[in-house]
PDB file of all heavy atoms in Angstrom:
ATOM      1  N   ASN M   1       0.814  -1.224   0.004  1.00 86.00           N
ATOM      2  CA  ASN M   1      -0.001   0.004   0.000  1.00 86.00           C
ATOM      3  C   ASN M   1       0.824   1.267   0.006  1.00 86.00           C
ATOM      4  O   ASN M   1       0.423   2.270  -0.600  1.00 86.00           O
ATOM      5  CB  ASN M   1      -0.944  -0.012   1.202  1.00 86.00           C
ATOM      6  CG  ASN M   1      -2.124  -0.915   1.038  1.00 86.00           C
ATOM      7  OD1 ASN M   1      -3.113  -0.559   0.388  1.00 86.00           O
ATOM      8  ND2 ASN M   1      -2.034  -2.096   1.580  1.00 86.00           N
ATOM      9  N   LEU M   2       1.974   1.282   0.659  1.00 85.00           N
ATOM     10  CA  LEU M   2       2.725   2.522   0.811  1.00 85.00           C
ATOM     11  C   LEU M   2       3.934   2.642  -0.114  1.00 85.00           C
ATOM     12  O   LEU M   2       4.473   3.721  -0.261  1.00 85.00           O
ATOM     13  CB  LEU M   2       3.183   2.687   2.258  1.00 85.00           C
ATOM     14  CG  LEU M   2       2.071   2.930   3.290  1.00 85.00           C
ATOM     15  CD1 LEU M   2       2.658   3.111   4.678  1.00 85.00           C
ATOM     16  CD2 LEU M   2       1.240   4.142   2.896  1.00 85.00           C
ATOM     17  N   ILE M   3       4.359   1.562  -0.744  1.00 88.00           N
ATOM     18  CA  ILE M   3       5.539   1.629  -1.577  1.00 88.00           C
ATOM     19  C   ILE M   3       5.251   1.095  -2.995  1.00 88.00           C
ATOM     20  O   ILE M   3       5.440   1.802  -3.990  1.00 88.00           O
ATOM     21  CB  ILE M   3       6.712   0.826  -0.960  1.00 88.00           C
ATOM     22  CG1 ILE M   3       7.107   1.454   0.375  1.00 88.00           C
ATOM     23  CG2 ILE M   3       7.910   0.797  -1.915  1.00 88.00           C
ATOM     24  CD1 ILE M   3       8.163   0.701   1.129  1.00 88.00           C
ATOM     25  N   ILE M   4       4.762  -0.132  -3.069  1.00 92.00           N
ATOM     26  CA  ILE M   4       4.589  -0.759  -4.400  1.00 92.00           C
ATOM     27  C   ILE M   4       3.450  -0.084  -5.177  1.00 92.00           C
ATOM     28  O   ILE M   4       3.586   0.160  -6.386  1.00 92.00           O
ATOM     29  CB  ILE M   4       4.299  -2.269  -4.215  1.00 92.00           C
ATOM     30  CG1 ILE M   4       5.512  -2.933  -3.585  1.00 92.00           C
ATOM     31  CG2 ILE M   4       3.968  -2.903  -5.569  1.00 92.00           C
ATOM     32  CD1 ILE M   4       5.296  -4.405  -3.273  1.00 92.00           C
ATOM     33  N   ALA M   5       2.336   0.215  -4.523  1.00 90.00           N
ATOM     34  CA  ALA M   5       1.182   0.771  -5.241  1.00 90.00           C
ATOM     35  C   ALA M   5       1.499   2.103  -5.916  1.00 90.00           C
ATOM     36  O   ALA M   5       1.244   2.270  -7.111  1.00 90.00           O
ATOM     37  CB  ALA M   5      -0.024   0.908  -4.303  1.00 90.00           C
ATOM     38  N   PRO M   6       2.062   3.104  -5.206  1.00 90.00           N
ATOM     39  CA  PRO M   6       2.363   4.354  -5.899  1.00 90.00           C
ATOM     40  C   PRO M   6       3.455   4.198  -6.959  1.00 90.00           C
ATOM     41  O   PRO M   6       3.432   4.875  -8.002  1.00 90.00           O
ATOM     42  CB  PRO M   6       2.808   5.291  -4.785  1.00 90.00           C
ATOM     43  CG  PRO M   6       3.227   4.398  -3.650  1.00 90.00           C
ATOM     44  CD  PRO M   6       2.344   3.212  -3.756  1.00 90.00           C
ATOM     45  N   PHE M   7       4.390   3.266  -6.721  1.00 93.00           N
ATOM     46  CA  PHE M   7       5.473   3.036  -7.688  1.00 93.00           C
ATOM     47  C   PHE M   7       4.881   2.488  -8.995  1.00 93.00           C
ATOM     48  O   PHE M   7       5.185   2.993 -10.083  1.00 93.00           O
ATOM     49  CB  PHE M   7       6.478   2.055  -7.099  1.00 93.00           C
ATOM     50  CG  PHE M   7       7.545   1.622  -8.068  1.00 93.00           C
ATOM     51  CD1 PHE M   7       8.641   2.421  -8.346  1.00 93.00           C
ATOM     52  CD2 PHE M   7       7.473   0.388  -8.702  1.00 93.00           C
ATOM     53  CE1 PHE M   7       9.607   2.055  -9.234  1.00 93.00           C
ATOM     54  CE2 PHE M   7       8.454  -0.016  -9.602  1.00 93.00           C
ATOM     55  CZ  PHE M   7       9.529   0.816  -9.874  1.00 93.00           C
ATOM     56  N   THR M   8       4.051   1.462  -8.898  1.00 94.00           N
ATOM     57  CA  THR M   8       3.471   0.861 -10.094  1.00 94.00           C
ATOM     58  C   THR M   8       2.476   1.806 -10.795  1.00 94.00           C
ATOM     59  O   THR M   8       2.327   1.788 -11.996  1.00 94.00           O
ATOM     60  CB  THR M   8       2.771  -0.460  -9.756  1.00 94.00           C
ATOM     61  OG1 THR M   8       1.783  -0.234  -8.745  1.00 94.00           O
ATOM     62  CG2 THR M   8       3.753  -1.498  -9.255  1.00 94.00           C
ATOM     63  N   HIS M   9       1.816   2.665  -9.998  1.00 95.00           N
ATOM     64  CA  HIS M   9       0.878   3.646 -10.568  1.00 95.00           C
ATOM     65  C   HIS M   9       1.599   4.533 -11.552  1.00 95.00           C
ATOM     66  O   HIS M   9       1.082   4.814 -12.651  1.00 95.00           O
ATOM     67  CB  HIS M   9       0.235   4.453  -9.439  1.00 95.00           C
ATOM     68  CG  HIS M   9      -0.956   5.226  -9.861  1.00 95.00           C
ATOM     69  ND1 HIS M   9      -1.515   6.210  -9.095  1.00 95.00           N
ATOM     70  CD2 HIS M   9      -1.751   5.147 -10.966  1.00 95.00           C
ATOM     71  CE1 HIS M   9      -2.581   6.716  -9.704  1.00 95.00           C
ATOM     72  NE2 HIS M   9      -2.731   6.076 -10.832  1.00 95.00           N
ATOM     73  N   ALA M  10       2.791   4.973 -11.185  1.00 95.00           N
ATOM     74  CA  ALA M  10       3.547   5.878 -12.053  1.00 95.00           C
ATOM     75  C   ALA M  10       4.299   5.116 -13.137  1.00 95.00           C
ATOM     76  O   ALA M  10       4.262   5.526 -14.320  1.00 95.00           O
ATOM     77  CB  ALA M  10       4.570   6.668 -11.216  1.00 95.00           C
ATOM     78  N   VAL M  11       4.927   3.995 -12.795  1.00 95.00           N
ATOM     79  CA  VAL M  11       5.789   3.306 -13.760  1.00 95.00           C
ATOM     80  C   VAL M  11       4.987   2.639 -14.860  1.00 95.00           C
ATOM     81  O   VAL M  11       5.453   2.555 -16.027  1.00 95.00           O
ATOM     82  CB  VAL M  11       6.659   2.272 -13.008  1.00 95.00           C
ATOM     83  CG1 VAL M  11       7.393   1.361 -13.995  1.00 95.00           C
ATOM     84  CG2 VAL M  11       7.667   2.974 -12.141  1.00 95.00           C
ATOM     85  N   ARG M  12       3.779   2.184 -14.579  1.00 95.00           N
ATOM     86  CA  ARG M  12       2.944   1.554 -15.623  1.00 95.00           C
ATOM     87  C   ARG M  12       2.715   2.540 -16.762  1.00 95.00           C
ATOM     88  O   ARG M  12       2.863   2.198 -17.945  1.00 95.00           O
ATOM     89  CB  ARG M  12       1.622   1.096 -15.037  1.00 95.00           C
ATOM     90  CG  ARG M  12       0.718   0.415 -16.078  1.00 95.00           C
ATOM     91  CD  ARG M  12      -0.635   0.086 -15.447  1.00 95.00           C
ATOM     92  NE  ARG M  12      -0.571  -0.918 -14.431  1.00 95.00           N
ATOM     93  CZ  ARG M  12      -0.693  -0.708 -13.119  1.00 95.00           C
ATOM     94  NH1 ARG M  12      -0.882   0.536 -12.688  1.00 95.00           N
ATOM     95  NH2 ARG M  12      -0.603  -1.668 -12.265  1.00 95.00           N
ATOM     96  N   LEU M  13       2.354   3.751 -16.420  1.00 96.00           N
ATOM     97  CA  LEU M  13       2.098   4.781 -17.452  1.00 96.00           C
ATOM     98  C   LEU M  13       3.413   5.135 -18.171  1.00 96.00           C
ATOM     99  O   LEU M  13       3.451   5.180 -19.408  1.00 96.00           O
ATOM    100  CB  LEU M  13       1.499   6.031 -16.780  1.00 96.00           C
ATOM    101  CG  LEU M  13       1.296   7.246 -17.684  1.00 96.00           C
ATOM    102  CD1 LEU M  13       0.351   6.952 -18.838  1.00 96.00           C
ATOM    103  CD2 LEU M  13       0.764   8.411 -16.848  1.00 96.00           C
ATOM    104  N   PHE M  14       4.459   5.389 -17.391  1.00 96.00           N
ATOM    105  CA  PHE M  14       5.731   5.757 -17.982  1.00 96.00           C
ATOM    106  C   PHE M  14       6.275   4.703 -18.957  1.00 96.00           C
ATOM    107  O   PHE M  14       6.669   4.984 -20.060  1.00 96.00           O
ATOM    108  CB  PHE M  14       6.756   6.031 -16.881  1.00 96.00           C
ATOM    109  CG  PHE M  14       8.200   5.850 -17.319  1.00 96.00           C
ATOM    110  CD1 PHE M  14       8.815   6.790 -18.137  1.00 96.00           C
ATOM    111  CD2 PHE M  14       8.914   4.737 -16.936  1.00 96.00           C
ATOM    112  CE1 PHE M  14      10.105   6.641 -18.561  1.00 96.00           C
ATOM    113  CE2 PHE M  14      10.236   4.575 -17.320  1.00 96.00           C
ATOM    114  CZ  PHE M  14      10.829   5.514 -18.148  1.00 96.00           C
ATOM    115  N   ALA M  15       6.276   3.417 -18.499  1.00 95.00           N
ATOM    116  CA  ALA M  15       6.890   2.370 -19.281  1.00 95.00           C
ATOM    117  C   ALA M  15       6.142   2.139 -20.613  1.00 95.00           C
ATOM    118  O   ALA M  15       6.764   1.933 -21.656  1.00 95.00           O
ATOM    119  CB  ALA M  15       6.860   1.064 -18.468  1.00 95.00           C
ATOM    120  N   ASN M  16       4.802   2.215 -20.594  1.00 95.00           N
ATOM    121  CA  ASN M  16       4.041   2.051 -21.817  1.00 95.00           C
ATOM    122  C   ASN M  16       4.310   3.152 -22.808  1.00 95.00           C
ATOM    123  O   ASN M  16       4.447   2.918 -24.014  1.00 95.00           O
ATOM    124  CB  ASN M  16       2.537   1.965 -21.512  1.00 95.00           C
ATOM    125  CG  ASN M  16       2.127   0.584 -21.072  1.00 95.00           C
ATOM    126  OD1 ASN M  16       1.838  -0.270 -21.898  1.00 95.00           O
ATOM    127  ND2 ASN M  16       2.077   0.346 -19.777  1.00 95.00           N
ATOM    128  N   MET M  17       4.372   4.408 -22.329  1.00 95.00           N
ATOM    129  CA  MET M  17       4.613   5.534 -23.221  1.00 95.00           C
ATOM    130  C   MET M  17       6.047   5.553 -23.740  1.00 95.00           C
ATOM    131  O   MET M  17       6.318   5.858 -24.900  1.00 95.00           O
ATOM    132  CB  MET M  17       4.279   6.859 -22.512  1.00 95.00           C
ATOM    133  CG  MET M  17       2.800   7.003 -22.174  1.00 95.00           C
ATOM    134  SD  MET M  17       1.726   6.855 -23.628  1.00 95.00           S
ATOM    135  CE  MET M  17       1.132   5.156 -23.455  1.00 95.00           C
ATOM    136  N   PHE M  18       6.995   5.190 -22.880  1.00 93.00           N
ATOM    137  CA  PHE M  18       8.410   5.114 -23.280  1.00 93.00           C
ATOM    138  C   PHE M  18       8.605   4.055 -24.372  1.00 93.00           C
ATOM    139  O   PHE M  18       9.212   4.356 -25.415  1.00 93.00           O
ATOM    140  CB  PHE M  18       9.243   4.799 -22.038  1.00 93.00           C
ATOM    141  CG  PHE M  18      10.721   4.751 -22.312  1.00 93.00           C
ATOM    142  CD1 PHE M  18      11.519   5.862 -22.161  1.00 93.00           C
ATOM    143  CD2 PHE M  18      11.345   3.555 -22.704  1.00 93.00           C
ATOM    144  CE1 PHE M  18      12.892   5.830 -22.386  1.00 93.00           C
ATOM    145  CE2 PHE M  18      12.709   3.498 -22.954  1.00 93.00           C
ATOM    146  CZ  PHE M  18      13.473   4.619 -22.804  1.00 93.00           C
ATOM    147  N   ALA M  19       8.069   2.881 -24.133  1.00 92.00           N
ATOM    148  CA  ALA M  19       8.247   1.809 -25.115  1.00 92.00           C
ATOM    149  C   ALA M  19       7.531   2.114 -26.427  1.00 92.00           C
ATOM    150  O   ALA M  19       8.069   1.832 -27.514  1.00 92.00           O
ATOM    151  CB  ALA M  19       7.705   0.480 -24.520  1.00 92.00           C
ATOM    152  N   GLY M  20       6.332   2.653 -26.348  1.00 92.00           N
ATOM    153  CA  GLY M  20       5.575   3.011 -27.569  1.00 92.00           C
ATOM    154  C   GLY M  20       6.314   4.024 -28.400  1.00 92.00           C
ATOM    155  O   GLY M  20       6.346   3.923 -29.642  1.00 92.00           O
ATOM    156  N   HIS M  21       6.906   5.039 -27.759  1.00 91.00           N
ATOM    157  CA  HIS M  21       7.630   6.068 -28.483  1.00 91.00           C
ATOM    158  C   HIS M  21       8.873   5.485 -29.136  1.00 91.00           C
ATOM    159  O   HIS M  21       9.202   5.834 -30.299  1.00 91.00           O
ATOM    160  CB  HIS M  21       8.020   7.183 -27.506  1.00 91.00           C
ATOM    161  CG  HIS M  21       8.568   8.413 -28.163  1.00 91.00           C
ATOM    162  ND1 HIS M  21       7.886   9.085 -29.187  1.00 91.00           N
ATOM    163  CD2 HIS M  21       9.731   9.085 -27.986  1.00 91.00           C
ATOM    164  CE1 HIS M  21       8.596  10.115 -29.572  1.00 91.00           C
ATOM    165  NE2 HIS M  21       9.722  10.151 -28.863  1.00 91.00           N
ATOM    166  N   MET M  22       9.536   4.586 -28.453  1.00 89.00           N
ATOM    167  CA  MET M  22      10.717   3.931 -29.025  1.00 89.00           C
ATOM    168  C   MET M  22      10.346   3.110 -30.272  1.00 89.00           C
ATOM    169  O   MET M  22      11.048   3.174 -31.300  1.00 89.00           O
ATOM    170  CB  MET M  22      11.356   3.021 -27.999  1.00 89.00           C
ATOM    171  CG  MET M  22      12.134   3.735 -26.904  1.00 89.00           C
ATOM    172  SD  MET M  22      13.702   4.395 -27.534  1.00 89.00           S
ATOM    173  CE  MET M  22      14.597   2.859 -27.870  1.00 89.00           C
ATOM    174  N   LEU M  23       9.262   2.366 -30.199  1.00 90.00           N
ATOM    175  CA  LEU M  23       8.842   1.527 -31.337  1.00 90.00           C
ATOM    176  C   LEU M  23       8.470   2.391 -32.561  1.00 90.00           C
ATOM    177  O   LEU M  23       8.869   2.069 -33.699  1.00 90.00           O
ATOM    178  CB  LEU M  23       7.665   0.636 -30.936  1.00 90.00           C
ATOM    179  CG  LEU M  23       8.008  -0.590 -30.098  1.00 90.00           C
ATOM    180  CD1 LEU M  23       6.739  -1.281 -29.625  1.00 90.00           C
ATOM    181  CD2 LEU M  23       8.876  -1.571 -30.887  1.00 90.00           C
ATOM    182  N   LEU M  24       7.701   3.417 -32.308  1.00 91.00           N
ATOM    183  CA  LEU M  24       7.293   4.291 -33.428  1.00 91.00           C
ATOM    184  C   LEU M  24       8.527   4.968 -34.052  1.00 91.00           C
ATOM    185  O   LEU M  24       8.619   5.077 -35.289  1.00 91.00           O
ATOM    186  CB  LEU M  24       6.309   5.337 -32.929  1.00 91.00           C
ATOM    187  CG  LEU M  24       4.895   4.851 -32.634  1.00 91.00           C
ATOM    188  CD1 LEU M  24       4.026   5.990 -32.102  1.00 91.00           C
ATOM    189  CD2 LEU M  24       4.248   4.219 -33.844  1.00 91.00           C
ATOM    190  N   ALA M  25       9.451   5.415 -33.227  1.00 88.00           N
ATOM    191  CA  ALA M  25      10.635   6.067 -33.728  1.00 88.00           C
ATOM    192  C   ALA M  25      11.488   5.062 -34.539  1.00 88.00           C
ATOM    193  O   ALA M  25      12.038   5.399 -35.588  1.00 88.00           O
ATOM    194  CB  ALA M  25      11.479   6.638 -32.598  1.00 88.00           C
ATOM    195  N   PHE M  26      11.583   3.827 -34.061  1.00 87.00           N
ATOM    196  CA  PHE M  26      12.378   2.818 -34.724  1.00 87.00           C
ATOM    197  C   PHE M  26      11.839   2.519 -36.124  1.00 87.00           C
ATOM    198  O   PHE M  26      12.580   2.559 -37.118  1.00 87.00           O
ATOM    199  CB  PHE M  26      12.420   1.540 -33.877  1.00 87.00           C
ATOM    200  CG  PHE M  26      13.037   0.371 -34.595  1.00 87.00           C
ATOM    201  CD1 PHE M  26      14.372   0.302 -34.823  1.00 87.00           C
ATOM    202  CD2 PHE M  26      12.223  -0.676 -35.013  1.00 87.00           C
ATOM    203  CE1 PHE M  26      14.954  -0.763 -35.477  1.00 87.00           C
ATOM    204  CE2 PHE M  26      12.786  -1.745 -35.696  1.00 87.00           C
ATOM    205  CZ  PHE M  26      14.154  -1.817 -35.929  1.00 87.00           C
ATOM    206  N   PHE M  27      10.542   2.196 -36.213  1.00 90.00           N
ATOM    207  CA  PHE M  27       9.981   1.806 -37.516  1.00 90.00           C
ATOM    208  C   PHE M  27       9.875   2.988 -38.470  1.00 90.00           C
ATOM    209  O   PHE M  27      10.058   2.798 -39.678  1.00 90.00           O
ATOM    210  CB  PHE M  27       8.619   1.147 -37.315  1.00 90.00           C
ATOM    211  CG  PHE M  27       8.709  -0.279 -36.857  1.00 90.00           C
ATOM    212  CD1 PHE M  27       8.418  -0.606 -35.540  1.00 90.00           C
ATOM    213  CD2 PHE M  27       9.123  -1.267 -37.706  1.00 90.00           C
ATOM    214  CE1 PHE M  27       8.520  -1.938 -35.099  1.00 90.00           C
ATOM    215  CE2 PHE M  27       9.256  -2.599 -37.268  1.00 90.00           C
ATOM    216  CZ  PHE M  27       8.940  -2.926 -35.960  1.00 90.00           C
ATOM    217  N   SER M  28       9.609   4.157 -37.990  1.00 88.00           N
ATOM    218  CA  SER M  28       9.565   5.336 -38.877  1.00 88.00           C
ATOM    219  C   SER M  28      10.965   5.620 -39.410  1.00 88.00           C
ATOM    220  O   SER M  28      11.154   6.007 -40.568  1.00 88.00           O
ATOM    221  CB  SER M  28       8.976   6.546 -38.150  1.00 88.00           C
ATOM    222  OG  SER M  28       9.789   6.904 -37.029  1.00 88.00           O
ATOM    223  N   MET M  29      11.994   5.425 -38.564  1.00 85.00           N
ATOM    224  CA  MET M  29      13.359   5.629 -39.020  1.00 85.00           C
ATOM    225  C   MET M  29      13.763   4.579 -40.068  1.00 85.00           C
ATOM    226  O   MET M  29      14.420   4.917 -41.042  1.00 85.00           O
ATOM    227  CB  MET M  29      14.296   5.555 -37.814  1.00 85.00           C
ATOM    228  CG  MET M  29      15.787   5.740 -38.139  1.00 85.00           C
ATOM    229  SD  MET M  29      16.621   4.208 -38.546  1.00 85.00           S
ATOM    230  CE  MET M  29      16.555   3.370 -36.971  1.00 85.00           C
ATOM    231  N   VAL M  30      13.326   3.325 -39.865  1.00 86.00           N
ATOM    232  CA  VAL M  30      13.616   2.279 -40.840  1.00 86.00           C
ATOM    233  C   VAL M  30      12.989   2.635 -42.209  1.00 86.00           C
ATOM    234  O   VAL M  30      13.617   2.522 -43.250  1.00 86.00           O
ATOM    235  CB  VAL M  30      13.089   0.908 -40.343  1.00 86.00           C
ATOM    236  CG1 VAL M  30      13.112  -0.124 -41.465  1.00 86.00           C
ATOM    237  CG2 VAL M  30      13.917   0.429 -39.174  1.00 86.00           C
TER     238      VAL M  30
END
C-alpha cells in the first residue's frame, strides 16, 4: 500500500509511453 502501489501507478504509465515512443521512432526511421 505505501511503496509498491504508488510506484506501479507511475511506472505503468511511464513504461508504456516510453516503449511505444521507441517503437514508433524505430519503424519510422527504418
Side-chain angles (χ1 to χ4, degrees):
N1 283 279
L2 292 182
I3 298 176
I4 296 175
F7 175 79
T8 56
H9 195 193
V11 170
R12 181 185 292 107
L13 175 61
F14 156 73
N16 277 275
M17 295 304 101
F18 182 91
H21 190 53
M22 285 287 293
L23 283 173
L24 288 178
F26 170 73
F27 282 106
S28 61
M29 180 272 292
V30 168

